[in-house]
């Protein structure tokens, strides 16, 4: 049975935590012997029972070893990978998906055709900064995050008032931008908020799906997935189990950056102890290195030099895909001309509906 391992950094539904702006899920399919050999060659003599990136990188004392580790992984990038997300931008895409797309759908507009949802997220993310500031964009997104995390009328009203008050203050293009946010308050209302599925802001499942399809595309299964037991993935495991089930009908959906092939050939998913399974430790170090590489908010000389060394070691070749800000808005620039994501979504909805757990 083939096995791949997954661990993540920057978890949870708080997508605006200032100390964790980047989310990374890392994966590998090393055997136990291969993992032992890799750790011994790159981190031998450290004297720690369990490798953790944060401890290794503290003060830069083991940067040379981390660079050597990344260089070794980059020799055979098909054995490893990382899915990355800019968390504030990811939140913008989720606001589009759960606040604007339902309204568009109700009025007959397919926002998933030709990448319209991605175009809208890119446009709004850029315009909120250009017409206002990064601070205002963050403030607005924080209010929407509070709505979807708490589902309370109080948070709903706070967000609605913020949007309406600012919309009355501005005019022209700025008023038009805020109209995208305000219409759902008027036409969908609070009832829509309380009916949105739980944990919609947890992007871990999104990354896990892309990682699963990547492994299925690299090698035919059946696969076992081992996920670090300390992650939040257990809260969404039923969705993953339903999505990856061998009982799913055969189907194939070509999408930009990933081919979704069903069934996924994952026959078992279990939670592992990173102290006992060193493949999970490798995931932790890779995830931490990718996060450091993408922390462009850290601009001192040492951080810039470290990022450059990671780049030279080949870390870019280990990044599978992700969610990252872009100014692309046309179907051609997005690589989504003629693509309709709604086809796959409707198929998944139909085939997963019966697998949802019954609430007491």
């Amino acid at each position: 049975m083939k096995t791949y391992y997954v661990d993540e950094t920057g978890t949870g539904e708080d997508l605006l935590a200032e100390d964790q702006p980047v989310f990374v899920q890392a994966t590998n399919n090393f055997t136990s012997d291969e993992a032992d050999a890799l750790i011994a060659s790159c981190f031998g003599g450290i004297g720690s029972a369990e490798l953790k990136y944060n401890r290794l990188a503290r003060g830069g004392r083991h940067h040379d070893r981390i660079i050597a580790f990344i260089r070794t992984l980059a020799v055979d990038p098909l054995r490893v990978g990382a899915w990355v997300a800019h968390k504030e931008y990811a939140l913008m895409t989720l606001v589009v998906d759960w606040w604007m797309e339902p309204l568009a759908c109700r009025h007959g507009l397919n926002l998933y055709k030709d990448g319209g949802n991605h175009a809208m997220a890119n446009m709004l993310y850029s315009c909120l900064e250009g017409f206002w500031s990064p601070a205002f964009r963050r403030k607005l997104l924080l209010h929407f995050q509070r709505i979807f995390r708490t589902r309370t009328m109080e948070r709903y009203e706070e967000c609605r008032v913020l949007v309406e008050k600012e919309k009355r203050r501005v005019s022209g293009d700025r008023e038009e931008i805020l109209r995208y946010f305000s219409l759902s308050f008027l036409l969908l209302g609070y009832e829509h908020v309380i009916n949105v599925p739980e944990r919609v802001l947890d992007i871990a499942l999104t990354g896990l799906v892309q990682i699963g399809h990547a492994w299925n595309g690299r090698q035919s299964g059946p696969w076992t997935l081992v996920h670090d037991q300390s992650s939040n993935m257990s809260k969404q495991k039923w969705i993953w189990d339903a999505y990856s089930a061998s009982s799913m009908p055969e189907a194939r959906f070509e999408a930009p950056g990933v081919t979704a092939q069903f069934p996924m050939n994952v026959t078992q998913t279990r939670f592992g102890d990173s102290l006992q399974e060193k493949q999970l430790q490798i995931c932790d170090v890779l995830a931490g290195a990718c996060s450091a590489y993408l922390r462009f908010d850290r601009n001192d000389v040492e951080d810039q030099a470290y990022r450059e060394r990671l780049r030279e070691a080949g870390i870019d070749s280990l990044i599978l895909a992700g969610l990252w800000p872009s100014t692309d808005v046309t179907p051609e620039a997005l690589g989504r001309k003629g693509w309709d994501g709604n086809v796959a979504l409707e198929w998944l909805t139909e085939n997963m509906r019966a697998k949802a757990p019954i609430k007491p």
Side-chain angles (χ1 to χ4, degrees), residues 44-207:
I46 286 182
S48 175
E50 182 178 8
L51 292 177
K52 289 290 186 182
Y53 177 83
N54 287 339
R55 289 200 294 264
L56 290 170
R58 189 174 298 136
R61 55 180 178 166
H62 292 307
H63 277 183
D64 288 346
R65 291 175 179 262
I66 295 170
I67 297 298
F69 169 76
I70 296 299
R71 186 174 291 112
T72 300
L73 294 181
V75 171
D76 190 359
L78 294 181
R79 302 295 305 278
V80 296
W83 186 84
V84 304
H86 184 290
K87 291 166 68 175
E88 184 176 332
Y89 173 72
L91 179 54
M92 184 77 261
T93 68
L94 292 170
V95 171
V96 170
D97 282 342
W98 293 103
W99 188 243
M100 298 170 187
E101 190 280 334
L103 181 61
C105 182
R106 178 179 291 188
H107 290 82
L109 176 62
N110 181 3
L111 203 56
Y112 294 122
K113 184 172 174 53
D114 293 329
N117 58 323
H118 295 276
M120 180 174 283
N122 290 346
M123 180 272 291
L124 293 174
Y125 191 83
S126 296
C127 288
L128 286 172
E129 178 172 339
F131 288 138
W132 284 272
S133 66
F136 177 78
R137 179 181 63 203
R138 190 176 184 85
K139 180 180 181 180
L140 179 61
L141 289 174
L142 178 61
H143 277 69
F144 275 100
Q145 177 170 277
R146 287 170 175 166
I147 285 181
F148 289 119
R149 292 188 73 181
T150 67
R151 314 298 176 91
T152 66
M153 177 61 79
E154 180 183 8
R155 294 303 193 189
Y156 174 87
E157 278 297 305
E158 286 176 355
C159 188
R160 187 189 65 79
V161 169
L162 171 67
V163 172
E164 291 302 323
K165 182 177 179 180
E166 183 65 16
K167 190 159 71 73
R168 288 194 300 269
R169 191 186 70 83
V170 299
S171 61
D173 290 338
R174 294 206 291 174
E175 182 182 10
E176 190 66 27
I177 292 298
L178 290 178
R179 193 180 301 277
Y180 286 101
F181 296 91
S182 67
L183 282 174
S184 292
F185 285 107
L186 177 65
L187 300 175
L188 295 182
Y190 179 62
E191 182 181 0
H192 169 72
V193 172
I194 60 177
N195 288 324
V196 168
E198 296 178 354
R199 302 192 65 79
V200 295
L201 302 187
D202 193 335
I203 58 177
L205 186 63
T206 303

Side-chain angles (χ1 to χ4, degrees), residues 227-246:
H227 204 291
D228 185 77
Q229 65 184 4
S230 64
S231 76
N232 288 323
M233 191 270 200
S234 60
K235 299 172 183 176
Q236 293 182 297
K237 187 174 182 295
W238 78 264
I239 304 178
W240 167 254
D241 286 343
Y243 187 97
S244 62
S246 59

Side-chain angles (χ1 to χ4, degrees), residues 9 21-22 24 53 57 63 66-67 70 82 84 285-299 302-319 324:
T9 182
V22 178
V24 182
Y53 177 83
H63 277 183
I66 295 170
I67 297 298
I70 296 299
V84 304
V285 179
L286 175 56
C290 287
S291 180
Y293 177 60
L294 296 169
R295 286 291 301 269
F296 301 118
D297 58 317
R298 293 179 173 173
N299 293 313
E302 292 79 8
D303 287 324
Q304 290 179 349
Y306 180 44
R307 287 201 298 268
E308 179 60 22
R309 293 181 68 196
L310 287 168
R311 186 193 66 78
E312 291 175 347
I315 198 168
D316 283 320
S317 69
L318 308 180
I319 297 176
W324 212 259

